[in-house]
């Protein structure tokens, strides 16, 4: 019992505990829509695409990793985040190898080592294989590879947090068939990672080696067999649920749908070009808005061909908007920072200088931690949560 006593030795007085705010436990009714997680991750990825500062990129990776550690479940797709980190490190290594063996347009004076150079004909002028390797070109390749690796890790965070089946439910009816193909493709990698981990654990428990070419071959065959079995099961379930059936609609509606969808997509492309590439163009924003409206109208008409209903559709509550908005806020802040101080977001390599962490862009990146506070807490593997 918490309490305190006065100096006169009277009985202790009870003190009310201070309420501590906690996110609710995740249930079927309050689980976040998968689209909210993808919008949050795409916001972080957009921010990563606007900078090559390794300090900001590392901060983005840390934010994504913290949210994944706090809010991922024990589902098979939730275990794929580590694989995306390894892929990101592999991308950085490949980028460095390309810079070493194929050279770089970045001039440098600090020679690290020199490789034998392969003579090339005159028509391949500007391309070299081997030669001297400078610290400037290695640093440039490291920054460039780190940006791409951060993009992949942000996508891996969304893949670990979002339920692919719930993402499929959020698509318009006109995109249902294409969405099924995308979701099946997205679930292949997480299930593949889960199978590899399960088989390696089983081999380790039996005292068999888990590394080397022999172990890879012995693990690969059961993984391939499991993938084929899942493919057959998915095909059977889709056939049982009437996948591919469409309703009959008048020809005029079909033609109108095609015109609106195609014209809207062309308008979106032209409007985006006007906003990003054409200097001083005033048609960009109006054309982009008109294209979006036309495309949405076409998708709405195209949904009439889909003879399906949604069971328990996802609801976008306050928490979902906060999660999606935090990613958008990080992206907007990084875009604004790129226009205000581009040198801080793209540190130079000639001459060699240490990157500096810009304060307010770094503070904006921390907004991406909001899902770790507001998103519902996933249930523990034991089926109950610890009482704190």
């Amino acid at each position: 019992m918490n309490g305190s006593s006065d100096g006169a030795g009277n009985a202790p007085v009870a003190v009310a505990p201070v309420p501590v705010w906690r996110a609710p436990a995740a249930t079927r009714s309050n689980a976040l829509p998968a689209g909210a997680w993808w919008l949050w991750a795409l916001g972080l990825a957009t921010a990563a695409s606007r900078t090559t500062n390794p300090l900001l990129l590392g901060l983005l990776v840390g934010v994504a990793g913290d949210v994944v550690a706090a809010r991922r479940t024990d589902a098979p797709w939730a275990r794929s985040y580590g694989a995306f980190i390894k892929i990101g490190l592999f991308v950085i290594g490949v980028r460095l190898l390309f810079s070493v063996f194929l050279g770089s347009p970045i001039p440098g004076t600090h020679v690290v080592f020199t490789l034998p150079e392969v003579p090339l004909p005159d028509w391949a002028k500007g391309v070299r294989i081997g030669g001297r390797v400078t610290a400037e070109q290695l640093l440039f390749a490291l920054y460039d590879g780190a940006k791409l690796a951060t993009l992949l890790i942000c996508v891996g965070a969304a893949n670990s947090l979002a339920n692919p089946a719930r993402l499929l439910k959020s698509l318009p009816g006109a995109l249902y068939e294409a969405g099924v193909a995308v979701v099946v493709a997205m679930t292949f990698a997480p299930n593949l990672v889960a199978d590899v981990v399960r088989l390696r654990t089983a081999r380790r428990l039996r005292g068999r080696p888990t590394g080397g070419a022999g172990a890879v071959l012995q693990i690969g065959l059961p993984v391939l067999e499991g993938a084929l079995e899942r493919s057959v099961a998915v095909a059977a379930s889709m056939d049982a649920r009437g996948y591919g059936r469409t309703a009959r609609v008048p020809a005029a509606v079909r033609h109108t749908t095609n015109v609106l969808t195609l014209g809207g997509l062309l308008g979106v492309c032209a409007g985006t070009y006007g906003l990003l590439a054409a200097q001083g163009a005033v048609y960009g924003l109006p054309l982009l808005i008109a294209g979006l409206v036309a495309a949405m109208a076409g998708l709405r008409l195209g949904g009439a061909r889909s003879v399906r209903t949604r069971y328990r559709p996802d609801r976008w509550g306050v928490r979902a908007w906060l999660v999606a908005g935090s990613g958008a806020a990080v992206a907007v802040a990084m875009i604004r920072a790129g226009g205000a101080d581009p040198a801080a977001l793209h540190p130079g390599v000639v001459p060699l200088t240490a990157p500096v962490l810009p304060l307010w862009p770094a503070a904006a990146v921390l907004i991406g931690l909001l899902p770790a506070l507001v998103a519902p807490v996933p249930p523990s593997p034991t089926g109950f949560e610890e009482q704190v």
Side-chain angles (χ1 to χ4, degrees), residues 8 32 38 40 128 157 204 206 222 243 258 275 287 307 325 332:
L32 286 183
W38 273 101
W40 166 78
R128 69 177 179 87
R204 191 179 298 110
R206 292 180 174 89
Y243 175 76
N258 295 334
L275 286 176
L287 193 57
V307 287
V332 171

Side-chain angles (χ1 to χ4, degrees), residues 321-378:
W321 286 112
L322 287 175
V323 170
S326 63
V330 174
V332 171
M334 195 66 68
I335 293 173
R336 293 288 301 273
D341 189 8
L345 268 61
H346 300 278
V349 296
V350 180
L352 288 175
T353 56
V356 179
L357 181 65
L359 294 182
W360 75 267
V365 171
L366 295 179
I367 300 176
L369 289 172
L370 187 62
L373 302 175
V374 301
V377 180

Side-chain angles (χ1 to χ4, degrees), residues 51-363:
T51 178
T52 56
N53 191 321
L55 301 180
L56 289 176
L57 294 175
L59 189 60
L60 284 168
V61 172
V63 167
D66 185 79
V67 174
V68 169
R71 290 298 180 263
R72 71 175 175 180
T73 63
D74 57 346
W77 59 80
R79 305 167 189 167
S80 61
Y81 183 70
F84 279 92
I85 293 180
K86 295 177 181 178
I87 293 174
L89 295 176
F90 176 75
V91 166
I92 295 177
V94 171
R95 183 66 180 86
L96 288 172
L97 286 177
F98 280 1
S99 177
V100 169
F101 290 103
L102 301 180
S104 174
I106 301 300
T109 58
H110 298 78
V111 179
V112 180
F113 55 87
T114 302
L115 296 175
E117 186 170 355
V118 178
L120 297 176
D122 294 337
W123 56 266
K125 186 176 296 184
V127 179
R128 69 177 179 87
I129 300 178
R132 64 174 191 167
V133 179
T134 63
E136 288 83 356
Q137 76 177 66
L138 290 178
L139 193 61
F140 177 79
L142 178 63
Y143 289 171
D144 197 37
K147 180 172 71 172
L148 181 56
T150 305
L151 290 172
L152 292 173
I153 291 173
C154 291
V155 172
N159 204 19
S160 299
L161 294 169
N163 188 334
R166 296 178 70 91
L167 181 63
L168 177 63
K169 293 170 59 177
S170 304
L171 292 177
L175 300 178
Y176 175 69
E177 296 180 1
V180 170
V182 172
V183 169
V184 171
M186 287 171 50
T187 56
F188 175 76
N191 287 320
L192 186 67
V193 172
D195 285 347
V196 172
V197 172
R198 177 175 56 83
L199 291 171
R200 292 188 64 183
T201 303
R203 289 180 62 86
R204 191 179 298 110
L205 292 175
R206 292 180 174 89
R208 298 178 180 177
T210 58
V216 171
L217 293 176
Q218 294 178 5
I219 292 175
L221 185 59
V223 168
L224 180 60
E225 181 182 0
L228 292 175
E229 290 179 354
R230 277 195 304 271
S231 301
V232 173
V234 169
S237 63
M238 292 169 64
D239 184 66
R241 289 168 172 82
Y243 175 76
R245 292 186 302 173
T246 57
R248 292 184 178 181
V249 296
V253 175
R254 294 200 306 270
H255 297 329
T256 304
T257 300
N258 295 334
V259 170
L260 287 176
T261 305
L262 182 59
L265 294 177
L266 291 176
V268 169
C269 294
T272 304
Y273 172 79
L275 286 176
L276 300 179
Q279 297 293 333
V282 296
Y283 65 84
L285 184 59
L287 193 57
L288 178 61
I289 295 176
L292 288 174
V293 172
M296 294 300 294
L299 292 177
R300 185 65 180 270
L301 285 177
R305 299 178 64 246
S306 178
V307 287
R308 72 185 185 97
T309 58
R310 293 185 180 181
Y311 178 68
R312 291 181 178 177
D314 289 333
R315 297 180 180 179
W316 281 70
V318 176
R319 299 181 187 277
W321 286 112
L322 287 175
V323 170
S326 63
V330 174
V332 171
M334 195 66 68
I335 293 173
R336 293 288 301 273
D341 189 8
L345 268 61
H346 300 278
V349 296
V350 180
L352 288 175
T353 56
V356 179
L357 181 65
L359 294 182
W360 75 267

